[in-house]
Amino acid sequence: ERALRTLAIASGPAPAAGCSDDEVFAATVPLGVVGIADPPRPAAIDAVAVCHRAGVRVVMITGDQPRTAGAVARQLGLRHEDVMTGAEIDACDDAELARRIVDVDVFARVAPEHKLRIVRALQADGEIVAVTGDGVNDAPALRQADVGIAMGRTGTDVAREAADIVLTTDDFATIEHAIQEGRRIFENIRRFGQFLFSWHLSVVFVVVAAILLGLPAPLAGLMILWNNLIID
C-alpha cells in the first residue's frame, strides 16, 4: 500500500544438504521485513501534471499487485481509486472493456495480451494512443499503438524494432517535451497556412472587384509573383 518492495530477513543454522524448503524455514527465526522504496522520478511527476493540463491522459499498465500499482499511481497524480486487473479484463468482452476503460487509469497484474486489448479498446473509443515500453512483452502493444515509444537504454532490441520512436534518455519527461515541441510546430504551420490563405483571398478579391467595376488591373502579374516570393 506504500509501494515498497519487501525483503524478509531471518536467521538460522546453515541448511544441511538435501533439506527441503519447509525444513530450512522451520529452523529459522524471522527478524523483520525491510521496505525498499523505488519512488518515481520527480521529473516524471511534473511531466504527468503537465500532460494532464495539456489534455493528455496518462495510463499506467503494470504487472505489480493492484495495491502497489495504486500507491505508485497516487504518487504520480493518476486516478488510483479504481485499479483494473488482468483477470477483470479477461472477464470483459470488447464492448464492456471499452466502456470501463474510460474511467480507469491504472491496470495491474496484466499480461501482454491484456496490454494489446487495452490499446485496441482505447483506439476503438476514438483515442490517439502512444505506448511506452522496454521489454519483449511490450512489442505487440508498441506495434498496435498509433505511436510506439521504446526505451533506448534499457529497452530490448525487439521493443526498439517494434516502436516508432526510441527515447535515448529513458525519461518520461522527454515525451512531454516532445508533445510541447510538436504542438508548437503544428501551431506555426497552421498560422502560416491561415496567413497564406487570407493573403491570396485578398488578392483574388481585389482583382475580381476591379474586373467587375471595369477598372484597370490593380496588380500586375510580376507584382503578385514578387509578393509570393517575399511571403514564402
Side-chain angles (χ1 to χ4, degrees), residues 95-149:
E96 176 68 12
L97 179 61
R99 186 186 65 81
R100 289 194 58 186
I101 207 172
V102 174
D103 299 318
V104 178
D105 284 351
V106 183
F107 299 87
R109 282 287 189 247
V110 296
E113 59 269 20
H114 298 143
K115 297 179 183 179
L116 190 58
R117 287 194 64 193
I118 292 170
V119 174
R120 288 174 173 170
L122 289 170
Q123 290 174 328
D125 195 41
E127 301 284 358
I128 303 299
V129 182
V131 171
T132 64
D134 57 8
V136 175
N137 293 339
D138 298 320
L142 289 169
R143 178 65 69 182
Q144 176 65 34
D146 297 284
V147 181
I149 305 173

Coordinates of all heavy atoms in Angstrom, one line a residue, residues 95-149:
A95 N -16.8 -4.8 -25.8 CA -17.7 -3.7 -25.6 C -17.6 -3.2 -24.1 O -17.6 -2.0 -23.8 CB -19.1 -4.0 -26.0
E96 N -17.6 -4.2 -23.2 CA -17.6 -3.9 -21.8 C -16.2 -3.3 -21.4 O -16.2 -2.3 -20.6 CB -17.8 -5.2 -20.9 CG -17.7 -5.0 -19.4 CD -18.8 -4.1 -18.8 OE1 -19.8 -3.9 -19.5 OE2 -18.7 -3.8 -17.7
L97 N -15.2 -3.8 -22.0 CA -13.8 -3.2 -21.7 C -13.8 -1.7 -22.2 O -13.2 -0.9 -21.5 CB -12.7 -4.0 -22.4 CG -11.3 -3.5 -22.2 CD1 -10.9 -3.5 -20.7 CD2 -10.3 -4.4 -22.9
A98 N -14.3 -1.5 -23.4 CA -14.3 -0.1 -23.9 C -15.1 0.8 -23.0 O -14.8 2.0 -22.9 CB -14.8 -0.1 -25.3
R99 N -16.2 0.3 -22.4 CA -17.0 1.1 -21.5 C -16.3 1.4 -20.2 O -16.3 2.6 -19.7 CB -18.3 0.5 -21.2 CG -19.3 1.3 -20.4 CD -20.5 0.5 -20.1 NE -20.2 -0.6 -19.2 CZ -20.0 -0.4 -17.8 NH1 -20.2 0.8 -17.3 NH2 -19.8 -1.4 -17.1
R100 N -15.6 0.4 -19.6 CA -15.0 0.6 -18.3 C -13.7 1.4 -18.4 O -13.3 2.0 -17.5 CB -14.7 -0.8 -17.7 CG -16.0 -1.5 -17.2 CD -15.6 -2.7 -16.3 NE -14.8 -2.2 -15.1 CZ -14.3 -3.0 -14.3 NH1 -14.4 -4.4 -14.4 NH2 -13.6 -2.6 -13.2
I101 N -13.0 1.2 -19.5 CA -11.7 1.8 -19.6 C -11.7 3.3 -19.6 O -10.6 3.9 -19.3 CB -11.0 1.3 -20.9 CG1 -9.5 1.2 -20.8 CG2 -11.4 2.1 -22.1 CD1 -8.8 0.6 -22.0
V102 N -12.8 3.9 -19.8 CA -12.9 5.4 -19.8 C -12.6 5.9 -18.4 O -12.0 7.0 -18.3 CB -14.3 5.8 -20.2 CG1 -14.5 7.3 -20.1 CG2 -14.6 5.4 -21.6
D103 N -12.9 5.2 -17.4 CA -12.7 5.7 -16.0 C -11.6 5.1 -15.3 O -11.4 5.2 -14.0 CB -14.0 5.5 -15.2 CG -15.2 6.2 -15.8 OD1 -15.0 7.4 -16.2 OD2 -16.3 5.6 -15.9
V104 N -10.7 4.3 -16.0 CA -9.6 3.6 -15.3 C -8.3 4.1 -15.9 O -8.1 4.1 -17.1 CB -9.7 2.1 -15.5 CG1 -8.6 1.4 -14.8 CG2 -11.1 1.6 -14.9
D105 N -7.4 4.5 -15.0 CA -6.1 5.0 -15.4 C -5.0 4.0 -14.9 O -3.8 4.2 -15.3 CB -5.8 6.4 -14.8 CG -6.5 7.5 -15.6 OD1 -7.1 7.1 -16.6 OD2 -6.5 8.6 -15.1
V106 N -5.3 3.0 -14.2 CA -4.3 2.1 -13.6 C -4.7 0.6 -13.9 O -5.8 0.2 -13.5 CB -4.1 2.3 -12.1 CG1 -2.9 1.4 -11.6 CG2 -3.8 3.8 -11.8
F107 N -3.8 -0.1 -14.5 CA -4.1 -1.6 -14.8 C -2.9 -2.4 -14.1 O -1.8 -2.1 -14.4 CB -4.1 -1.8 -16.3 CG -5.3 -1.1 -17.0 CD1 -5.1 0.2 -17.4 CD2 -6.5 -1.6 -17.1 CE1 -6.1 0.9 -18.0 CE2 -7.5 -1.0 -17.7 CZ -7.3 0.3 -18.2
A108 N -3.3 -3.4 -13.4 CA -2.3 -4.2 -12.6 C -2.5 -5.7 -13.0 O -3.5 -6.1 -13.4 CB -2.5 -3.9 -11.1
R109 N -1.4 -6.4 -12.7 CA -1.3 -7.8 -12.9 C -1.8 -8.2 -14.4 O -2.6 -9.0 -14.6 CB -2.2 -8.5 -11.9 CG -1.6 -8.7 -10.6 CD -0.5 -9.8 -10.6 NE 0.0 -10.1 -9.3 CZ 1.2 -9.8 -8.8 NH1 2.1 -9.2 -9.6 NH2 1.6 -10.2 -7.6
V110 N -1.2 -7.5 -15.3 CA -1.6 -7.6 -16.7 C -0.5 -8.5 -17.5 O 0.7 -8.5 -17.1 CB -1.7 -6.3 -17.4 CG1 -2.9 -5.5 -16.8 CG2 -0.5 -5.5 -17.4
A111 N -1.0 -9.1 -18.5 CA -0.1 -9.9 -19.4 C -0.1 -9.2 -20.7 O -0.8 -8.2 -21.0 CB -0.7 -11.3 -19.6
P112 N 0.9 -9.6 -21.6 CA 1.0 -8.9 -22.9 C -0.3 -8.8 -23.7 O -0.6 -7.8 -24.3 CB 2.0 -9.8 -23.7 CG 2.8 -10.4 -22.6 CD 1.9 -10.6 -21.4
E113 N -1.1 -9.9 -23.7 CA -2.4 -9.8 -24.4 C -3.3 -8.8 -23.8 O -4.2 -8.2 -24.5 CB -3.1 -11.2 -24.5 CG -3.4 -11.8 -23.1 CD -2.3 -12.7 -22.6 OE1 -1.1 -12.5 -23.0 OE2 -2.5 -13.5 -21.7
H114 N -3.2 -8.5 -22.5 CA -4.1 -7.5 -21.9 C -3.7 -6.1 -22.4 O -4.5 -5.3 -22.6 CB -4.0 -7.6 -20.4 CG -4.4 -8.9 -19.8 ND1 -3.8 -9.5 -18.7 CD2 -5.5 -9.7 -20.1 CE1 -4.4 -10.6 -18.4 NE2 -5.4 -10.8 -19.3
K115 N -2.4 -5.9 -22.5 CA -1.9 -4.6 -23.0 C -2.4 -4.3 -24.4 O -2.9 -3.2 -24.7 CB -0.4 -4.5 -23.0 CG 0.3 -4.7 -21.6 CD 1.8 -4.6 -21.7 CE 2.4 -4.9 -20.4 NZ 3.9 -4.9 -20.5
L116 N -2.4 -5.3 -25.2 CA -2.9 -5.2 -26.6 C -4.4 -4.9 -26.6 O -4.8 -4.0 -27.3 CB -2.6 -6.5 -27.3 CG -2.8 -6.4 -28.8 CD1 -2.0 -5.4 -29.5 CD2 -2.5 -7.8 -29.5
R117 N -5.2 -5.5 -25.7 CA -6.6 -5.3 -25.7 C -6.9 -3.9 -25.2 O -7.8 -3.2 -25.6 CB -7.3 -6.3 -24.8 CG -7.4 -7.7 -25.4 CD -8.4 -8.5 -24.6 NE -9.8 -8.0 -24.6 CZ -10.7 -8.3 -23.8 NH1 -10.5 -9.2 -22.9 NH2 -11.9 -7.8 -24.0
I118 N -6.1 -3.4 -24.2 CA -6.3 -2.0 -23.7 C -6.1 -1.0 -24.8 O -6.8 -0.1 -24.9 CB -5.3 -1.8 -22.5 CG1 -5.7 -2.7 -21.3 CG2 -5.3 -0.3 -22.1 CD1 -4.7 -2.7 -20.2
V119 N -5.0 -1.2 -25.5 CA -4.7 -0.3 -26.6 C -5.8 -0.3 -27.7 O -6.3 0.8 -28.1 CB -3.3 -0.6 -27.3 CG1 -3.1 0.3 -28.5 CG2 -2.2 -0.4 -26.3
R120 N -6.3 -1.4 -28.0 CA -7.3 -1.5 -29.0 C -8.6 -0.9 -28.5 O -9.4 -0.3 -29.3 CB -7.5 -3.0 -29.4 CG -6.4 -3.6 -30.3 CD -6.6 -5.0 -30.5 NE -5.6 -5.5 -31.5 CZ -5.4 -6.8 -31.8 NH1 -6.1 -7.8 -31.1 NH2 -4.5 -7.2 -32.6
A121 N -8.9 -1.1 -27.2 CA -10.2 -0.5 -26.7 C -10.1 1.0 -26.7 O -11.1 1.6 -27.0 CB -10.4 -1.1 -25.2
L122 N -8.9 1.5 -26.3 CA -8.8 3.0 -26.4 C -8.9 3.5 -27.8 O -9.6 4.6 -28.0 CB -7.4 3.4 -25.8 CG -7.2 3.2 -24.3 CD1 -5.8 3.4 -23.9 CD2 -8.1 4.2 -23.5
Q123 N -8.3 2.8 -28.8 CA -8.4 3.3 -30.1 C -9.9 3.2 -30.6 O -10.3 4.0 -31.4 CB -7.5 2.4 -31.0 CG -6.0 2.7 -30.8 CD -5.1 1.8 -31.5 OE1 -5.5 0.6 -31.8 NE2 -4.0 2.2 -31.9
A124 N -10.6 2.1 -30.2 CA -12.0 2.0 -30.6 C -12.8 3.1 -30.0 O -13.9 3.4 -30.6 CB -12.5 0.6 -30.1
D125 N -12.4 3.7 -28.9 CA -13.1 4.8 -28.3 C -12.7 6.2 -29.0 O -13.1 7.2 -28.5 CB -12.8 4.9 -26.8 CG -13.8 5.7 -26.1 OD1 -15.0 5.7 -26.4 OD2 -13.4 6.5 -25.2
G126 N -11.9 6.1 -30.0 CA -11.5 7.3 -30.7 C -10.2 8.0 -30.2 O -9.9 9.1 -30.6
E127 N -9.5 7.3 -29.3 CA -8.3 7.9 -28.7 C -7.1 7.7 -29.6 O -7.0 6.7 -30.3 CB -8.0 7.3 -27.4 CG -9.1 7.5 -26.3 CD -9.1 8.9 -25.8 OE1 -8.3 9.7 -26.2 OE2 -10.0 9.2 -24.9
I128 N -6.2 8.7 -29.7 CA -4.9 8.5 -30.3 C -4.0 8.0 -29.2 O -3.7 8.7 -28.2 CB -4.4 9.8 -30.9 CG1 -5.4 10.4 -31.9 CG2 -3.0 9.6 -31.5 CD1 -5.7 9.5 -33.1
V129 N -3.4 6.8 -29.4 CA -2.7 6.1 -28.3 C -1.2 6.1 -28.6 O -0.8 5.6 -29.6 CB -3.3 4.7 -28.1 CG1 -2.6 4.0 -26.9 CG2 -4.8 4.7 -27.9
A130 N -0.4 6.5 -27.6 CA 1.0 6.3 -27.6 C 1.3 5.3 -26.5 O 0.8 5.5 -25.3 CB 1.8 7.6 -27.4
V131 N 2.2 4.4 -26.7 CA 2.5 3.3 -25.8 C 4.0 3.4 -25.5 O 4.8 3.5 -26.5 CB 2.1 1.9 -26.2 CG1 2.7 0.8 -25.3 CG2 0.6 1.8 -26.3
T132 N 4.5 3.3 -24.3 CA 5.9 3.2 -23.9 C 6.1 1.9 -23.4 O 5.3 1.3 -22.7 CB 6.3 4.3 -22.9 OG1 5.6 4.0 -21.6 CG2 5.9 5.7 -23.3
G133 N 7.3 1.3 -23.7 CA 7.7 0.0 -23.2 C 9.2 -0.3 -23.4 O 9.8 0.4 -24.2
D134 N 9.7 -1.3 -22.8 CA 11.1 -1.7 -22.9 C 11.3 -3.2 -23.1 O 12.4 -3.6 -23.5 CB 11.9 -1.2 -21.7 CG 11.4 -1.7 -20.4 OD1 10.5 -2.6 -20.4 OD2 11.8 -1.3 -19.4
G135 N 10.3 -4.0 -22.9 CA 10.5 -5.4 -22.9 C 9.9 -6.1 -24.1 O 9.2 -5.5 -24.9
V136 N 10.3 -7.4 -24.3 CA 9.7 -8.2 -25.4 C 8.2 -8.2 -25.3 O 7.5 -8.2 -26.3 CB 10.3 -9.6 -25.4 CG1 9.7 -10.5 -26.4 CG2 11.9 -9.5 -25.6
N137 N 7.7 -8.3 -24.1 CA 6.2 -8.4 -23.9 C 5.5 -7.2 -24.3 O 4.3 -7.2 -24.5 CB 5.9 -8.7 -22.4 CG 6.4 -10.1 -22.0 OD1 6.6 -11.0 -22.8 ND2 6.6 -10.3 -20.7
D138 N 6.2 -6.0 -24.4 CA 5.6 -4.8 -24.8 C 5.5 -4.6 -26.3 O 4.8 -3.7 -26.8 CB 6.4 -3.6 -24.3 CG 6.4 -3.6 -22.7 OD1 5.4 -3.9 -22.1 OD2 7.5 -3.3 -22.2
A139 N 6.2 -5.5 -27.1 CA 6.2 -5.3 -28.5 C 4.9 -5.3 -29.2 O 4.6 -4.5 -30.1 CB 7.1 -6.4 -29.1
P140 N 3.9 -6.2 -28.9 CA 2.6 -6.2 -29.6 C 1.9 -4.9 -29.4 O 1.3 -4.3 -30.3 CB 1.9 -7.4 -29.0 CG 2.9 -8.3 -28.5 CD 4.0 -7.4 -28.0
A141 N 1.9 -4.4 -28.1 CA 1.2 -3.1 -27.9 C 1.9 -1.9 -28.5 O 1.3 -1.0 -29.0 CB 1.2 -2.9 -26.3
L142 N 3.3 -2.0 -28.6 CA 4.0 -0.9 -29.2 C 3.7 -0.9 -30.7 O 3.6 0.2 -31.3 CB 5.5 -1.1 -29.1 CG 6.1 -0.9 -27.7 CD1 7.5 -1.4 -27.6 CD2 6.0 0.6 -27.3
R143 N 3.5 -2.0 -31.3 CA 3.2 -2.1 -32.8 C 1.8 -1.7 -33.0 O 1.5 -1.0 -34.0 CB 3.4 -3.6 -33.2 CG 3.1 -3.8 -34.7 CD 4.0 -3.0 -35.6 NE 5.4 -3.5 -35.6 CZ 6.4 -3.0 -36.2 NH1 6.2 -1.9 -37.0 NH2 7.6 -3.5 -36.2
Q144 N 0.8 -2.0 -32.1 CA -0.6 -1.7 -32.3 C -0.8 -0.2 -32.1 O -1.7 0.4 -32.7 CB -1.4 -2.5 -31.4 CG -2.9 -2.2 -31.4 CD -3.6 -2.5 -32.7 OE1 -3.2 -3.5 -33.4 NE2 -4.6 -1.7 -33.1
A145 N -0.1 0.5 -31.3 CA -0.3 1.8 -30.9 C -0.1 2.8 -32.1 O 0.6 2.4 -33.1 CB 0.6 2.3 -29.8
D146 N -0.8 3.9 -32.0 CA -0.6 4.9 -33.1 C 0.9 5.4 -33.1 O 1.4 5.7 -34.1 CB -1.5 6.1 -32.8 CG -3.0 5.7 -32.9 OD1 -3.5 5.5 -34.1 OD2 -3.6 5.5 -31.9
V147 N 1.5 5.5 -31.9 CA 2.9 5.9 -31.7 C 3.5 4.9 -30.7 O 3.1 5.0 -29.5 CB 3.1 7.3 -31.3 CG1 4.6 7.7 -31.2 CG2 2.4 8.3 -32.3
G148 N 4.4 4.1 -31.1 CA 5.1 3.3 -30.2 C 6.4 3.9 -29.7 O 7.2 4.3 -30.6
I149 N 6.7 4.0 -28.4 CA 7.8 4.7 -27.9 C 8.6 3.7 -27.0 O 8.1 3.2 -26.0 CB 7.4 5.9 -27.0 CG1 6.5 6.8 -27.8 CG2 8.7 6.6 -26.5 CD1 6.0 8.0 -27.0

